[in-house]
Amino acid sequence: MTAVRAGVVGAGYVGLTTAVCLAERGHHTVCVDVDPDRVEQLRNGVAHIDEPGLPELLRQGLAGGTLEFASHCAGLDDRDVVFVCVPTPSGPDGSADLSAVDNVVDELAGVLAAGAVLVLKSTVPVGTTRRVGERVRSAGIRAVSNPEFLRESHAVYDFRNPDRIVVGTEDADAAAVVTGVLGNHAQTFVMNPESAELSKYASNAFLAVKISYANSLARLCGTVGADITDVTRSMGADVRIGPHFLAPGPGWGGSCLPKDTAAILHTGRRACVALPEIESARRTNAAQPDHIAAALRRALRVPLHRARLTALGLTFKAGTSDVRDSPALTIGAALSRAGATVTGYDPRLGALDQSRLRAAAVTPVDDPYLAAKDADAIVVLTEWPEFRELDWTAIAEQAPGAVVLDTRNLLDAAALADAGLRYVGNGTRSGY
Ligand code: UGA
């Protein structure tokens, strides 16, 4: 591998992971972020995101001189390749808001040297890379799509061990630059930019469809005496289906699946192509709070509007401190609106964005036993493994007669029954 001079714009989950991993691969990397405080922290070796292995790589890159941080793009003028990793949030109509990408491209067009490759890692709608390519062509810059498939909480692992690398360009030399930088990988697919861009949305939408299907099946299981765990175990053993993303839960969330399903539907509308499977997956997901509220109404011994509820888990999935678009908070907010008092505990509570907890009317309590005190129901919303290790007898003493509604089927039903708690699983025989 030949080391190159790399740049990364945007130090979020994707950008910072990309920067520290490129530096680890021996590329001198300059990572730019508009937030000067964030840049200062990063220069001091302090990461603002919670990813296993990332703080070590950050310190290693800084100490080895392969990683630098800057608060503007001007210093990227000597870079061979620059990865754009800025957010593309949902607009009101579901479309991806490209203003951050466009601003960065405008800046880079005036900074990068002729021959540089500008790589769009941000998730962008079909047609964006070609449009950006036209914008920067007169400066001799090539634009390439390289969608990122890493998962939060496994970001460094996924960067080092990607299932596939997708490179969207019709310029063979630019494709070789990008694959060279990222490392040659058996599953490297070079395709036109439109296919690369769409493959990202299509993948996230398929994951959403898969989970919503499991959530619909769980509802069916709950009413016909079947057990979703057995049903998905059987389905997942079929190699054509696979076992992943079939776990039922409170619904899918996070910063990607909701926004990317909205954006692909927007693309479909503009192209006059219906995508009913994705529409349906979003409808199923949107109905999850009502489904859970209905299950609680059946299980509670007091009316929901007078109930004291404890939410166990507030992040959108385990292993992260991210609460953006967290189903746990969506459900907490819906239950609060229904009149219930909701307290919440999360193993990463101290690191969570407290303003989002306030907006959901969830009162944080930094101790699971205190959070459960006097609860009428304890609702497991995030699959943190440590919830299995709680002293459920002590919780039963704090909340006598409480029902535990386990949306993730995380806990051991028999252990909870032994502790004296009523247990309701999701799509199980004694469940909802
Ligand atoms: C997702 C994709 O998995 C990544 O491949 C992609 O790169 C990323 O979006 C992105 O576009 O940046 P992430 O948002 O980190 O990654 O989260 P996931 O692990 O996909 O989980 C999404 C949601 O689905 C979570 O709320 C999770 O709890 C839920 N989920 C997942 C289930 O309810 N059941 C499952 O079986 C799996």
Side-chain angles (χ1 to χ4, degrees):
M1 182 206 68
T2 320
V4 301
R5 285 163 301 196
V8 175
V9 184
Y13 277 93
V14 171
L16 186 56
T17 305
T18 301
V20 300
C21 290
L22 290 177
E24 184 195 25
R25 293 181 58 76
H27 303 298
H28 182 267
T29 304
V30 178
C31 179
V32 175
D33 196 277
V34 282
D35 180 343
D37 295 336
R38 180 178 287 185
V39 167
E40 202 44 43
Q41 270 192 327
L42 289 166
R43 282 180 176 150
N44 290 325
V46 179
H48 57 287
I49 60 171
D50 206 4
E51 283 294 331
L54 194 142
E56 294 78 1
L57 288 184
L58 172 63
R59 286 192 288 272
Q60 187 183 303
L62 290 168
T66 48
L67 183 60
E68 287 176 26
F69 291 93
S71 50
H72 46 76
C73 290
L76 298 179
D77 53 347
D78 63 345
R79 300 289 103 182
D80 303 305
V81 52
V82 173
F83 292 85
V84 176
C85 308
V86 293
T88 53
S90 273
D93 59 354
S95 63
D97 176 352
L98 290 176
S99 46
V101 170
D102 286 337
N103 289 339
V104 169
V105 167
D106 283 346
E107 263 193 87
L108 291 177
V111 165
L112 298 186
V117 179
L118 185 162
V119 186
L120 288 180
K121 248 193 194 305
S122 297
T123 300
V124 291
V126 174
T128 308
T129 306
R130 200 170 289 278
R131 179 171 63 75
V132 166
E134 280 156 18
R135 162 84 182 81
V136 298
R137 183 176 307 131
S138 59
I141 302 164
R142 280 93 44 92
V144 173
S145 164
N146 169 230
E148 181 51 64
F149 298 98
L150 56 80
R151 300 161 294 170
E152 283 188 25
S153 78
H154 292 76
V156 169
Y157 177 87
D158 286 349
F159 193 96
R160 288 174 172 158
N161 308 280
D163 287 340
R164 77 291 211 189
I165 290 176
V166 173
V167 180
T169 177
E170 282 145 354
D171 176 332
D173 179 64
V177 170
V178 177
T179 52
V181 173
L182 295 175
N184 291 315
H185 188 270
Q187 299 266 75
T188 296
F189 307 131
V190 179
M191 56 188 76
N192 75 11
E194 289 76 10
S195 308
E197 290 161 339
L198 187 56
S199 78
K200 167 69 187 189
Y201 284 107
S203 298
N204 273 0
F206 187 75
L207 294 174
V209 168
K210 209 173 172 191
I211 303 165
S212 276
Y213 182 46
N215 282 331
S216 291
L217 285 176
R219 292 183 196 192
L220 185 60
C221 290
T223 57
V224 299
D227 188 312
I228 188 68
T229 311
D230 290 330
V231 172
T232 52
R233 189 191 307 150
S234 158
M235 290 167 63
D238 184 328
V239 291
R240 295 169 303 174
I241 298 173
H244 305 292
F245 277 66
L246 285 176
W252 38 267
S255 62
C256 302
L257 267 47
K259 115 181 138 54
D260 292 350
T261 49
I264 193 174
L265 286 177
H266 183 264
T267 301
R269 279 196 299 278
R270 290 187 69 168
C272 297
V273 175
L275 296 162
E277 296 79 7
I278 304 172
E279 279 170 6
S280 172
R282 282 177 61 88
R283 267 199 304 279
T284 302
N285 209 47
Q288 287 295 89
D290 280 351
H291 178 54
I292 289 168
L296 276 171
R297 282 196 175 89
R298 290 193 299 275
L300 279 164
R301 290 180 175 147
V302 294
L304 183 58
H305 66 269
R306 282 203 278 115
R308 299 168 67 96
L309 308 178
T310 305
L312 277 192
L314 301 173
T315 53
F316 82 98
K317 64 176 179 179
T320 177
S321 52
D322 196 346
V323 287
R324 288 175 295 169
D325 245 317
S326 170
L329 292 187
T330 307
I331 288 160
L335 296 171
S336 298
R337 278 196 304 276
T341 307
V342 185
T343 56
Y345 168 77
D346 191 279
R348 300 269 171 92
L349 194 66
L352 306 190
D353 178 347
Q354 301 294 319
S355 66
R356 290 184 192 262
L357 272 54
R358 278 193 296 280
V362 172
T363 307
V365 178
D366 200 8
D367 176 295
Y369 303 97
L370 288 180
K373 191 161 170 41
D374 298 330
D376 299 301
I378 297 164
V379 188
V380 179
L381 292 166
T382 310
E383 74 285 22
W384 288 103
E386 40 270 71
F387 292 159
R388 289 198 196 99
E389 314 309 324
L390 291 173
D391 179 346
W392 284 97
T393 306
I395 290 184
E397 282 162 14
Q398 293 285 333
V403 62
V404 178
L405 192 97
D406 185 358
T407 70
R408 299 272 189 177
N409 290 336
L410 176 76
L411 303 175
D412 178 349
L416 265 75
D418 286 350
L421 289 159
R422 287 183 295 137
Y423 178 82
V424 176
N426 179 1
T428 58
R429 287 194 62 188
S430 59
Y432 67 96

